[in-house]
Amino acid sequence: MTTKEEISMIGFEIVAYAGDAQTDLLAACEKASQGDIDGARALHESAKQALIDAHDVQTRLLSQEAGGGEMDVTFIMVHAQDTLMTTMLLEKQTKYTIDAYQRIARMVAESREVRERYLAETIKTLTDELNRIGLEGFQINGRSKHYWSIYQKMKRKGKEFSEIYDLVALRVITQTVGDCYSALGAVHSLWHPMPGRFKDYIAMPKLNNYQSLHTTVIGPTARPLEIQIRTFEMHEQAEYGIAAHWLYKRSGGSSAVKATSAQRLDDQINAL
């Protein structure tokens, strides 16, 4: 005969096992996003074992009678059942996620360090060309896409891996709109543009007033390279929103004044 107190304790035990499983599953997803597939698999197996333990406790409970004849399902038991169900769904999603990352890792077929080195060499090539044509005061930033970003873009846009062209991407930030188009010409003189992959959001801004030139080229070693080109003012609005754009205009583009104004605005907001 099982008392209500014992039922509650067993319910807490189920929740504890499910909680351990959830912790391992979330950690598994994080490791997978960092490319540590083996570590993710190990945590997934640990979570599965915790779920088995939780099911064993649940089976033991259901095989017993509560005091008074019929089992008295208390709030904690309802909570335990819900937690267990949620964890089971999370386990299925985690397995799918790890499998997806493993496929992406195989398709990328090179370490992030190799891509970072490729990025540095590409930035140097473009920097030399922009200097050669006389552009001044520009910046070039680059990034190598994480597995997490690749996975999210494939999922969000319903694309296959072969349709993701920005595994490695550059952003060129210039002083003027004219410099943007000069930089675009330099990019296309260095590398052949991919058909259908050029968008002029400067001449035709998006509805949210986003402005930039986007082009994808066949870069060094014949691999796709996405490049965005915009002015500093466009970059402020794209990255930080209309408030930052207003501060930029007000400061005349001065970094020192802009930082002071931004801090003052932060102080005003914090005081509300």
Side-chain angles (χ1 to χ4, degrees), residues 196-255:
R197 294 293 304 172
F198 170 67
K199 293 184 176 66
D200 188 344
Y201 294 121
I202 292 179
M204 297 184 66
K206 291 187 178 183
L207 292 176
N208 62 359
N209 207 34
Y210 172 84
Q211 290 183 287
S212 185
L213 300 175
H214 290 194
T215 186
T216 303
V217 298
I218 303 299
T221 68
R223 63 193 295 174
L225 172 66
E226 184 182 89
I227 300 176
Q228 299 176 358
I229 307 171
R230 61 181 68 151
T231 65
F232 283 97
E233 186 175 350
M234 294 171 190
H235 182 67
E236 287 289 335
Q237 183 163 347
E239 294 297 301
Y240 308 114
I242 193 66
H245 178 64
W246 174 78
L247 287 172
Y248 185 94
K249 295 281 285 186
R250 185 179 177 212
S251 68
S254 164
S255 296

Side-chain angles (χ1 to χ4, degrees), residues 108-126:
V108 171
E110 65 182 5
S111 69
R112 197 156 193 273
E113 289 74 19
V114 172
R115 284 183 285 151
E116 294 288 358
R117 188 162 59 249
Y118 168 86
L119 197 57
E121 293 169 356
T122 305
I123 289 174
K124 183 180 185 309
T125 299
L126 182 55

Side-chain angles (χ1 to χ4, degrees), residues 61-122:
L61 173 63
L62 294 175
S63 68
Q64 298 175 1
E65 283 188 356
E70 196 171 315
M71 180 180 295
D72 184 3
V73 181
T74 61
F75 173 79
I76 186 60
M77 280 308 303
V78 174
H79 176 56
Q81 298 290 344
D82 287 346
T83 303
L84 190 54
M85 183 65 70
T86 300
T87 308
M88 290 167 61
L89 293 173
L90 180 60
E91 187 275 326
K92 291 182 183 299
Q93 181 61 39
T94 299
K95 183 180 185 305
Y96 174 82
T97 300
I98 294 172
D99 289 344
Y101 279 129
Q102 189 167 35
R103 290 196 300 272
I104 290 169
R106 283 199 299 265
M107 288 184 285
V108 171
E110 65 182 5
S111 69
R112 197 156 193 273
E113 289 74 19
V114 172
R115 284 183 285 151
E116 294 288 358
R117 188 162 59 249
Y118 168 86
L119 197 57
E121 293 169 356
T122 305

